[in-house]
Amino acid sequence: PDEIKKLKEALQGYCLCRKPYEGFMVGCDTCEEWFHGPCIGVSESQAERYDKYVCVRCVISKLFKGCAETTVQAIRKWTNSKDLTKA
């Protein structure tokens, strides 16, 4: 069982490239996934200047959810019979 756990940890992939933890890494403050600095275009000196990092996946997810909520509100407005009589 201990060997299996070590093997699973060794095979665990991180980052967009899904390779193992190695070298300089940056953690997303939203999803807590880790990314190799070179894969996301962030150097160690750049990372030191920021308090927070949010990965591309989380940014896109947030934008999508915002757009979806706006779309649902518009659909509800235009399909509500009370609002249709006002228009």
Side-chain angles (χ1 to χ4, degrees), residues 15 20-27 34-48:
C15 190
Y21 182 92
E22 185 178 304
F24 168 65
M25 307 268 306
V26 177
W34 286 90
F35 300 89
H36 301 104
C39 291
I40 58 170
V42 176
S43 69
E44 288 186 59
S45 61
Q46 289 172 319
E48 289 174 4

Side-chain angles (χ1 to χ4, degrees), residues 3-72:
E3 292 83 12
I4 293 173
K5 183 179 178 185
K6 287 180 183 179
L7 181 60
K8 283 182 180 179
E9 287 176 6
L11 294 173
Q12 173 68 44
Y14 296 89
C15 190
L16 302 169
C17 66
R18 303 317 297 164
K19 292 184 180 173
Y21 182 92
E22 185 178 304
F24 168 65
M25 307 268 306
V26 177
C28 175
D29 291 306
T30 302
C31 68
E32 299 181 3
E33 177 76 58
W34 286 90
F35 300 89
H36 301 104
C39 291
I40 58 170
V42 176
S43 69
E44 288 186 59
S45 61
Q46 289 172 319
E48 289 174 4
R49 290 183 277 195
Y50 298 99
D51 293 328
K52 188 174 182 177
Y53 171 76
V54 179
C55 72
V56 172
R57 221 177 342 213
C58 289
V59 169
I60 290 171
S61 177
K62 184 178 179 180
L63 289 172
F64 176 78
K65 287 177 185 173
C67 290
E69 288 171 9
T70 301
T71 302
V72 167

